[in-house]
């Protein structure tokens, strides 16, 4: 009691350290809420036969598919998203605000809705899909291509927002300097702008990749759940939970490990942006 | 004529309308306060800013003519040095200097050789492998100059090239810049708000205020005969407007000044602060310092001390009265006078020390 009250007095004596109880209690609850499930995952994991579970070919297949599709989706997002970010950040065209709003819709859209929308456009009878089917014999839904498309749809906005922010933060006068040195806008983009925003592009790519890796709703709606072709890790987790909860935990652990690795990669950018130099 | 330009550009509430002409080998300084529009003019000359109207002709080639000719910045043969060097941080110093040659199609090897040659010329021998972040401010600005000149431009644009440097570095870089400008065959436009830069580097000065040219001439003439309060303040003079009447000038603000030369009609009167002497009582016969007789000094005014600021070994006194003046007195003299702001003091100037010239 005396110790507690003394501690309280000391805490009140400090200028900045004190956290008011109405904030402290919910904050503590929030921490528990966020961390406890992860602890549960680790505690309940079948550590004894983890090796056997991990070497199960079905796990390897789902993991390989997940890594491949997430990487392809990230590459696709880079190729399309970086130019889009440049247009949003640099062009003075009217309607840019509208364009940005449209681009960021997939950020807030429930992924299942995205999957349905993709199906309506790219399905065999979709707006575009029917022609792909008639003219080229391409059927996209329920294929690995559909997985990549669904993941790109959901994840690309993360990259666009991140790269656009980096472009806005970059000093555009370097582009002026390049122009006075005879560089046209494309050369300037390749040799000056892109190297300057490289850290932002990398961060955006990691975020995009992590989002693609965890994609569930749009994927299962648009690509289905076929082992080997469309069953990515999140889908495998969901399926396993209904038949083999132990396997679901193992698969979840693998995803958790990948997520933590991503967080470590991004840590320097999130914690104060120290050492942002090249 | 190597550069002939008429630049009209609206920047916010300011309409900039400036005509410039610079000969080959000539250095023109555009001097003006911040926000006068001088940087906008430079950006138009570079092709980085679209003017609302006007014409830019470099070496007889029109690079901008409203509605007809629009040559973008990257196809103009120019070199530009920016206030904070703007060396590309991800490239080495050599790669920075070689950048302009590479974009213009020079192969990597020759471009790097030329870049290293220029680095030697600006005193950065052996520093080509460093990153710009590893250079001091003065070194970075030298590298930026090399980067601007390596492509042998016809027009060199300098945007406050020394103002980001500390005082000592500025002195040495200014001297080097002067040497390189003397060797440069094309036209140079230097934008600065520092009259020392303009006096030290330029063959001719254009003073821009509020988007207009208010004075133009050789640096020494501009410094000796300022035509606006801004220029007068820059060169440390008090400028008074008046009407000449023989050897006296009736000031527009009231009062008269005796001048050394005959003057008639609208004139400017300029007084150097160091030629103003201060007395606690109306001075009569002799200069207290030398004991020399002044006869009767004709320029004696009662004034009130507004502010007194230390200024090197002197104290700069702003004086209010019928004739507003600035006086520089030695610290010792200031201490002997024992003046406090608000005190009444007599100010005196010899007629021969007063510059007078037509408005």
């Amino acid at each position: 009691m005396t110790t507690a009250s003394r501690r309280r007095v000391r805490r009140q004596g400090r200028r900045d350290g004190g956290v008011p109880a109405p904030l402290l209690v919910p904050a503590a609850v929030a921490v528990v809420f966020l961390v406890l499930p992860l602890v549960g995952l680790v505690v309940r994991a079948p550590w004894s036969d983890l090796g056997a579970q991990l070497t199960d070919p079905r796990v390897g297949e789902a993991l390989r598919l997940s890594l491949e599709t997430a990487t392809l989706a990230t590459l696709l997002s880079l190729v399309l998203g970086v130019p889009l970010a440049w247009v949003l950040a640099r062009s003075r065209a009217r309607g840019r605000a509208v364009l940005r709003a449209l681009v960021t819709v997939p950020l807030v859209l429930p992924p299942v809705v995205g999957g349905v929308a993709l199906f309506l456009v790219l399905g065999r009878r979709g707006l575009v899909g029917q022609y792909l089917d008639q003219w080229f014999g391409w059927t996209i839904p329920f294929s690995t291509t559909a997985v990549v498309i669904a993941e790109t749809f959901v994840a690309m906005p993360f990259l666009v927002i991140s790269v656009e922010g980096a472009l806005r933060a970059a000093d555009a006068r370097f582009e002026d300097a390049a122009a006075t040195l005879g560089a046209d806008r494309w050369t300037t983009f390749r040799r000056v702008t892109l190297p300057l925003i490289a850290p932002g592009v990398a961060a955006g790519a990691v975020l995009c990749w992590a989002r693609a890796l965890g994609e569930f709703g749009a994927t299962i709606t648009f690509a289905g759940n076929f082992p080997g072709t469309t069953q990515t890790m999140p889908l495998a987790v969901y399926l396993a939970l209904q038949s083999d909860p132990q396997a679901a935990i193992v698969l979840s652990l693998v995803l958790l490990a990948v997520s933590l690795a991503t967080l470590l990669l991004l840590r320097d950018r999130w914690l104060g942006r120290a050492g942002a130099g090249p | 004529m190597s550069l002939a330009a008429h630049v009209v550009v609206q920047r916010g509430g300011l309409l900039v309308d400036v005509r410039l002409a610079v000969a080959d080998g000539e250095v023109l300084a555009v001097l003006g306060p911040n926000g006068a529009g001088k940087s906008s003019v430079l950006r138009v000359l570079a092709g980085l800013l679209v003017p609302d109207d006007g014409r830019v002709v470099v070496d007889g080639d029109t690079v901008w003519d409203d509605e007809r000719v629009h040559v973008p910045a990257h196809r103009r043969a120019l070199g530009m040095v920016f206030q904070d060097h703007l060396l590309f941080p991800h490239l080495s110093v050599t790669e920075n200097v070689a950048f302009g040659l590479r974009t213009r199609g020079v192969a990597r090897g020759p471009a790097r050789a030329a870049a290293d040659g220029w680095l030697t010329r600006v005193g950065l021998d052996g520093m080509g492998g460093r990153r710009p972040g590893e250079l001091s401010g003065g070194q970075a600005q030298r590298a930026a100059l090399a980067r601007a000149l390596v492509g042998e431009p016809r027009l060199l644009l300098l945007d406050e090239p020394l103002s980001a440097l500390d005082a000592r570095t500025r002195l040495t870089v200014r001297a080097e810049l002067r040497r390189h400008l003397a060797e440069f065959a094309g036209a140079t436009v230097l934008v600065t708000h520092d009259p020392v830069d303009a006096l030290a580097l330029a063959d001719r000065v254009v003073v821009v205020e509020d988007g207009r040219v208010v004075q133009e001439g050789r640096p020494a003439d501009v410094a000796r005969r300022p035509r606006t309060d801004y220029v007068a303040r820059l060169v440390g003079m008090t400028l008074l407007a008046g009407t000449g009447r023989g050897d006296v000038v009736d000031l527009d603000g009231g009062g008269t000044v005796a001048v050394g030369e005959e003057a008639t009609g609208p004139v400017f009167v300029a007084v150097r602060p160091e030629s103003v002497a201060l007395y606690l009582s109306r001075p009569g016969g002799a200069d207290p310092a030398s004991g020399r007789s002044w006869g009767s000094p004709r320029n004696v005014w009662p004034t009130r001390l507004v502010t007194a600021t230390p200024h090197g070994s002197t104290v700069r006194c702003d004086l209010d009265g019928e004739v507003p003046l600035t006086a520089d007195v030695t610290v010792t003299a200031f201490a002997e006078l024992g003046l406090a702001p608000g005190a009444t003091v007599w100010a005196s100037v010899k007629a021969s020390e007063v510059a007078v010239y037509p408005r």
Side-chain angles (χ1 to χ4, degrees), chain A:
Chain A
M1 179 64 197
T2 45
T3 320
S5 54
R6 199 182 306 145
R7 192 181 297 145
R8 196 176 306 136
V9 166
R10 197 167 55 212
R11 212 176 273 159
Q12 283 169 348
R14 283 173 56 183
R15 276 274 165 87
D16 305 313
V19 181
L23 295 181
L24 186 62
V25 173
V29 171
V31 169
V32 171
F33 179 75
L34 290 174
V35 173
L36 197 59
L38 303 182
V39 173
L41 202 57
V42 173
V43 168
R44 296 295 296 272
W47 294 104
S48 51
D49 53 81
L50 192 65
Q53 293 270 16
L54 277 177
T55 48
D56 185 324
R58 285 173 303 171
V59 175
E61 203 169 53
L63 185 60
R64 178 192 57 77
L65 187 68
S66 270
L67 295 177
E68 279 177 9
T69 53
T71 304
L72 281 173
T74 304
L75 290 176
L76 191 58
S77 297
L78 280 167
V79 169
L80 303 177
V82 173
L84 176 56
W86 190 92
V87 170
L88 289 177
R90 287 282 189 274
S91 90
R92 292 196 194 88
R94 282 214 258 149
R96 229 168 11 131
V98 177
L99 189 61
R100 183 182 298 108
L102 285 175
V103 164
T104 47
V105 162
L107 278 179
V108 293
L109 193 71
V112 175
V113 178
V116 171
L118 284 172
F119 200 81
L120 291 178
V121 172
L122 294 172
R124 281 186 80 164
R125 301 186 161 199
L127 284 175
V128 177
Q130 57 179 317
Y131 300 109
L132 294 178
D133 192 47
Q134 280 172 24
W135 297 344
F136 308 105
W138 292 348
T139 314
I140 290 175
F142 311 116
S143 67
T144 306
T145 307
V147 177
V148 175
I149 289 173
E151 290 179 352
T152 306
F153 179 81
V154 172
M156 185 156 65
F158 286 85
L159 180 97
V160 173
I161 297 294
S162 176
V163 174
E164 193 203 343
L167 278 168
R168 288 185 180 282
D171 193 341
R173 292 178 314 147
F174 282 115
E175 295 168 11
D176 288 347
T180 67
L181 293 167
D184 59 31
R185 302 207 84 182
W186 172 235
T187 307
T188 301
F189 176 76
R190 279 187 303 121
R191 297 211 43 208
V192 176
T193 314
L194 205 51
L196 283 176
I197 61 162
V201 174
V206 171
L207 266 179
C208 172
W209 188 80
R211 181 67 189 84
L213 191 73
E215 218 303 300
F216 179 85
T219 309
I220 202 164
T221 313
F222 182 50
N225 185 14
F226 303 107
T229 53
T230 73
Q231 191 184 77
T232 57
M233 287 290 279
L235 272 56
V237 171
Y238 181 72
L239 198 74
L241 196 60
Q242 291 164 342
S243 55
D244 182 1
Q246 296 287 11
I249 295 170
V250 172
L251 290 166
S252 299
L253 270 180
V254 172
L255 276 182
L256 177 63
V258 173
S259 306
L260 284 178
T262 309
L263 191 64
L264 283 175
L265 263 173
L266 276 177
R267 188 187 52 178
D268 289 340
R269 290 191 65 80
W270 281 348
L271 296 182
R273 292 167 184 265

Side-chain angles (χ1 to χ4, degrees), chain A residues 171 173-185 187-188 191-193 195-196 278, chain B residues 43 46 48 73-74 78 80 82 84 86-91 96 99-100 102-104 147:
Chain A
D171 193 341
R173 292 178 314 147
F174 282 115
E175 295 168 11
D176 288 347
T180 67
L181 293 167
D184 59 31
R185 302 207 84 182
T187 307
T188 301
R191 297 211 43 208
V192 176
T193 314
L196 283 176
Chain B
R43 289 175 60 78
L48 298 172
H74 69 268
L78 61 88
M80 188 158 177
F82 300 84
D84 39 2
L86 293 182
L87 294 172
F88 305 126
H90 60 286
L91 298 179
N96 260 284
F99 189 94
R102 298 281 294 134
T103 60
R104 290 173 175 118
R147 183 174 73 168

Side-chain angles (χ1 to χ4, degrees), chain B residues 213-235:
Chain B
V213 175
V214 293
Q215 189 167 1
E216 187 169 356
R218 293 192 307 124
D221 292 339
V222 171
R224 202 161 33 229
R225 301 186 153 195
R227 304 192 73 83
T228 71
D229 277 337
Y230 165 73
V231 183
R233 232 182 3 261
L234 277 185
V235 298

